[in-house]
């Protein structure tokens, strides 16, 4: 089954499911990791919280306590810090790809000492800036990231982590399913759907361990 969409600036975009690719990295592969933000990195939906008066008030009263709640508590924040550190130490860059506002994501990551590990936050404005439109917004943005100057040709594997199955090339994906870019056939996309449903509690400690193991396989 091929999943394709209209082009961006004349480029034919899309991802084709790969049935033969291994569900594990090899040491020869050059990986980049792209995370969704709300209910993937966070345990609560920050974008929705900040659209309400209670969320805005809680942030203003106690910024540290607010973000501790958003990210699921101190233990989970420490686990996220360890995960991000492991990914960066492996040599893989981390990007955030979200429909949320970049400034809000920036503040949240700064408050939890995660921002230092992230190369770039691509939020709501980035989709307009790159002329990306529905359907298939995030799969299109994944292709766009991979064709940008300074990135094209540098990476041949992408691990994409998101809680919303609609943001993958196909809705029915499992962890570490693989897709091949129709723009660059040497690029493999590995999917990692978080939790059981959209807008859940974000990455669990067990899922963070799965990602750590996956990334580690590429270092061996």
């Amino acid at each position: 089954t091929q999943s394709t969409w209209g082009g961006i600036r004349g480029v034919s975009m899309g991802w084709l499911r790969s049935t033969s690719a291994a569900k594990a990295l090899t040491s020869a592969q050059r990986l980049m990791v792209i995370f969704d933000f709300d209910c993937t990195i966070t345990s609560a939906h920050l974008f929705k919280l900040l659209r309400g008066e209670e969320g805005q008030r809680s942030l203003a009263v106690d910024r540290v306590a607010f973000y501790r709640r958003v990210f699921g508590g101190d233990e989970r924040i420490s686990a996220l810090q360890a995960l991000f550190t492991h990914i960066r130490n492996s040599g893989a860059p981390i990007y955030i790809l979200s429909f949320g506002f970049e400034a809000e994501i920036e503040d949240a990551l700064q408050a939890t000492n995660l921002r230092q590990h992230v190369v770039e936050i691509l939020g709501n404005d980035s989709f307009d800036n790159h002329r990306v439109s529905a359907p298939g917004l995030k799969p299109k943005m994944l292709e766009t990231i991979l064709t940008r100057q300074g990135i094209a040709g540098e990476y041949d594997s992408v691990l994409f982590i998101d809680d919303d199955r609609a943001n993958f090339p196909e809705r029915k994906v499992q962890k570490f399913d693989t897709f091949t870019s129709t723009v660059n056939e040497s690029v493999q996309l590995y999917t990692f759907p978080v939790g059981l449903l959209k807008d859940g509690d974000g990455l669990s400690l067990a899922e963070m361990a799965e990602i750590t193991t996956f990334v580690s396989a590429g270092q061996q």
Side-chain angles (χ1 to χ4, degrees):
T1 301
Q2 187 170 359
S3 302
T4 57
W5 301 274
I8 297 176
R9 298 177 181 173
V11 178
S12 178
M13 312 297 285
W15 295 95
L16 181 66
R17 180 180 281 276
S18 175
T19 56
S20 59
K23 291 196 173 188
L25 289 177
T26 68
S27 58
Q29 290 176 278
R30 297 160 296 162
L31 176 69
M32 68 188 304
V33 181
I34 302 179
F35 287 90
D36 171 48
F37 184 72
D38 283 310
C39 299
T40 294
I41 296 175
T42 66
S43 288
H45 204 296
L46 178 65
F47 180 86
K48 291 180 179 179
L49 283 174
L50 292 181
R51 305 285 76 76
E53 291 185 10
E54 181 180 350
Q56 291 282 358
R57 184 168 54 252
S58 296
L59 175 59
V61 169
D62 192 332
R63 179 171 175 264
V64 173
F66 175 76
Y67 284 126
R68 183 182 294 124
R69 177 165 64 92
V70 166
F71 282 86
D74 290 336
E75 180 185 8
R76 189 172 179 278
I77 291 171
S78 293
L80 284 167
Q81 291 168 345
L83 173 62
F84 277 41
T85 298
H86 179 78
I87 292 170
R88 293 298 292 124
N89 287 344
S90 77
I94 297 173
Y95 287 78
I96 305 296
L97 182 59
S98 171
F99 295 131
F101 293 125
E102 291 167 15
E104 293 175 355
I105 296 170
E106 175 87 30
D107 190 56
L109 294 175
Q110 291 283 4
T112 50
N113 293 319
L114 293 170
R115 182 62 181 92
Q116 62 185 312
H117 302 293
V118 177
V119 173
E120 188 174 3
I121 300 166
L122 296 164
N124 190 281
D125 292 343
S126 294
F127 290 85
D128 289 334
N129 292 340
H130 289 286
R131 302 179 187 177
V132 176
S133 58
L137 287 170
K138 284 195 177 180
K140 285 179 181 177
M141 275 297 289
L142 290 172
E143 289 272 17
T144 300
I145 292 169
L146 289 166
T147 55
R148 289 167 64 184
Q149 185 175 1
I151 295 177
E154 291 296 315
Y155 304 97
D156 54 21
S157 303
V158 181
L159 176 61
F160 178 45
I161 304 160
D162 200 313
D163 69 297
D164 188 351
R165 275 66 175 168
N167 291 330
F168 293 102
E170 296 176 12
R171 285 179 178 269
K172 293 183 179 181
V173 293
Q174 304 294 323
K175 291 173 182 175
F176 308 119
D177 280 356
T178 56
F179 292 80
T180 302
S181 167
T182 59
V183 172
N184 183 348
E185 293 182 359
S186 67
V187 176
Q188 291 287 329
L189 173 70
Y190 294 85
T191 61
F192 194 99
V194 175
L196 297 176
L197 297 170
K198 175 185 175 184
D199 294 346
D201 295 329
L203 283 164
S204 67
L205 299 183
E207 287 175 323
M208 292 184 210
E210 287 183 81
I211 294 168
T212 298
T213 299
F214 178 83
V215 172
S216 296
Q219 296 177 276
Q220 298 173 2

